[in-house]
Amino acid sequence: MSTTIAPVEPAEPVPAPGGRRWPRRFGRPGAAVLSGLLLFASFPPRPLWWLALPGFALLGWTLRGRRPRAGFGLGFLAGLGFLLPLLKWTGEEVGPLPWVALAAVSALFIGAVGVGIAAVSRLPAWPVLAAAVWILGEAARARVPFGGFPWGKIAFGQADGMFLPLAAVGGTPVLGFAVVLCGFGLYEVVRQVLAHRAGRGDDTDDTDDTDGTDGTERAVRGDGAARPVRRAAVAVAALSVLVPVAGALAALPLVDDSAEDGTATVAAIQGNVPRLGLDFNAQRRAVLDNHAKRTEQLAADVKAGKEPLPDFVLWPENSSDLDPFRNGDARLVIEDAVKAIGVPTVVGSVLSPDTGKLRNSLIEWDPEKGPVATYDKRHVQPFGEYIPMRSFVRIFSSDVDRVRRDFGPGDKVGVFDLAGTKVGLATCYEAAFDWAVRDTVTHGAQMITVPSNNATFGRSEMTYQQLAMSRVRAVEHSRAVVVPVTSGVSAMIMPDGKVVDETKMFTPDALVREMPLRSSQTPATRMGTLPEALLAAIAVGGLGWAGTRAVRVRRRPAADAG
């Protein structure tokens, strides 16, 4: 009996430890972090808005086809790469723990978005669905917990970008959606081009039809087998890039800085603070005196003909942390300054009633009648103006006790009639919330002011990030926006989002300028939350579709076996 000995196959070389496995294991996590860093770099003060596009293209490559757990982890890493550097200012005076905690909690939302993007990434028109999922995540983060934290909305990084006119179409949701869609579309275009060059066609398993029917064309793979090249997928890739660009160009006529209702000469006072940091308001009288003196200096400049007489004057948030209704000295200082300039003045103050919570208020002060109206900030800042779960948070940081008495929110829309001009009021943090700015315009505001106090954040990027928000709001509602800040940067913003005058940081100054007044409403103002709701519905529909399809695929092997 003969024995046939099979030829021995040469042994495959064993890869060196950490050889090819290293890039395979760490490539996507590294790409996720890099995508987040690109998103951060696209935000002010850097004028690199376009970096958001490769950022989302890279994120699309990172998440496409991943399983839910991987999608969450990769999304979370992208969120950390984005939000840790973006929110560094939150730890300027209180150390790294609150900063890292806030960034990590916010990144959890992006982790959840990563799950959604991974789920819809193999569906037809996935860039549209994935961009809608991103906006759904932003909508959730802007609402929960503690009223939400929308800082870092992609729209807020686009104040210098070509997509900015879309803010007038559908607000920050539509502007952000266009940027995200274009980024994912760029990745899909590259993917389709590479697939075509490799002769693989479209490897997206988006339907059960793989025989090249229904209008598909066939491509030949390297092994001679045919795979369908889906013209619909190629069209979606191209349109995902072209439609946002075309939409931004089409929206240009909505960006208008003409004076529909005439003009108003506005003065914004930046009095500066004695020192940086959380203890700046330990010298509350000095802060008040700085703003009063700078107003009196403006009055002297007007009398000397160096500056035009303003129709009204705007002081920043916290320009008088001494309650003028309870402190006679503070009231006298304010009255003297307002009488010197001789026009209505809005004073940012902290009101301290005998009982109940403090109020972060803006007071309309008439040179003859004194205080005639107040606006209480409606969205007070958690962990800044009030401390949720105080006893628990104290375990991690004793700085919570700096807020000895919590602030409470107001409940009335802020619109002051200043010398015949209706001015909408959104105090500092409120500028980040769509509703807090929009309803001042729907209540008749012809221009908007965002009085702010950024002194607690030093020379960080925070003031530039917030200024960009105000620029986006200007285009969104087609209103001039005036931003008076205690320590800078104060600015005058036209309805087209352009900054026409601004101060330096930590420098006393006064900006005086004639600003256009407008009463027409943009589509974004009229529609309110409708665009965001429609995009959220698209996202939910896509997630439902992906879930149904996943269940069907899991059941198919059992059916085939039967």
Side-chain angles (χ1 to χ4, degrees), residues 26-51:
F26 297 102
R28 288 187 187 271
V33 174
L34 179 58
S35 70
L37 291 173
L38 288 172
L39 295 182
F40 159 69
S42 73
F43 271 66
R46 293 160 296 278
L48 304 175
W49 59 270
W50 50 270
L51 284 178

Side-chain angles (χ1 to χ4, degrees), residues 11 27 92 121 124 146 154 164 173 207 210 224 232 253 282 296 313 318-319 326 331 337 411-412 459 476 543:
E92 188 75 16
S121 64
F146 311 119
I154 292 302
L164 181 60
T207 71
T210 57
E296 290 166 354
V313 175
N318 299 130
S319 47
R326 301 175 63 86
R331 185 183 184 109
D411 57 5
K412 294 182 180 179
R459 298 183 182 276
E476 181 179 9
L543 293 172

Side-chain angles (χ1 to χ4, degrees), residues 338-424:
V338 175
K339 286 180 179 178
I341 194 65
V343 298
T345 301
V346 176
V347 177
S349 184
V350 172
L351 304 186
S352 51
D354 291 330
T355 60
K357 298 181 178 180
L358 300 173
R359 291 291 186 269
N360 187 338
S361 298
L362 299 174
I363 306 170
E364 179 184 350
W365 209 289
D366 186 87
E368 296 179 358
K369 301 177 183 178
V372 294
T374 60
Y375 166 70
D376 296 334
K377 186 177 182 179
R378 291 175 292 162
H379 200 305
V380 292
Q381 182 181 354
F383 305 103
E385 292 172 306
Y386 76 99
I387 306 297
M389 308 179 298
R390 183 182 287 267
S391 58
F392 175 75
V393 175
R394 189 182 289 113
I395 297 173
F396 303 96
S397 175
S398 61
D399 284 316
V400 299
D401 292 324
R402 292 178 183 267
V403 184
R404 298 185 180 90
R405 184 176 175 185
D406 286 344
F407 283 78
D411 57 5
K412 294 182 180 179
V413 178
V415 179
F416 284 169
D417 188 330
L418 301 175
T421 298
K422 292 185 177 180
V423 180

Side-chain angles (χ1 to χ4, degrees), residues 85-244:
L86 187 78
L87 302 179
K88 187 177 182 297
W89 52 268
T90 61
E92 188 75 16
E93 295 293 333
V94 296
L97 184 59
W99 157 45
V100 173
L102 176 61
V105 170
S106 299
L108 289 174
F109 286 86
I110 299 181
V113 166
V115 176
I117 292 174
V120 302
S121 64
R122 287 191 176 274
L123 296 176
W126 78 265
V128 177
L129 300 175
V133 168
W134 182 276
I135 299 305
L136 176 62
E138 286 192 341
R141 189 159 64 90
R143 290 167 171 82
V144 293
F146 311 119
F149 185 69
W151 213 280
K153 270 189 170 185
I154 292 302
F156 295 149
Q158 297 296 308
D160 290 306
M162 68 169 296
F163 298 102
L164 181 60
L166 289 169
V169 176
T172 59
V174 168
L175 172 55
F177 175 77
V179 175
V180 182
L181 175 59
C182 194
F184 286 151
L186 283 173
Y187 162 64
E188 182 65 5
V189 166
V190 172
R191 194 177 72 85
Q192 293 291 339
V193 169
L194 293 177
H196 178 72
R197 287 184 176 179
R200 292 186 291 105
D202 174 41
D203 62 353
T204 304
D205 184 18
D206 52 12
T207 71
D208 291 333
D209 172 40
T210 57
D211 62 359
T213 59
D214 295 338
T216 61
E217 296 175 352
R218 304 178 73 83
V220 179
R221 299 188 305 185
D223 58 3
R227 290 287 299 273
V229 175
R230 299 184 187 278
R231 288 179 297 187
V234 175
V236 166
L239 291 174
S240 296
V241 176
L242 295 177
V243 169

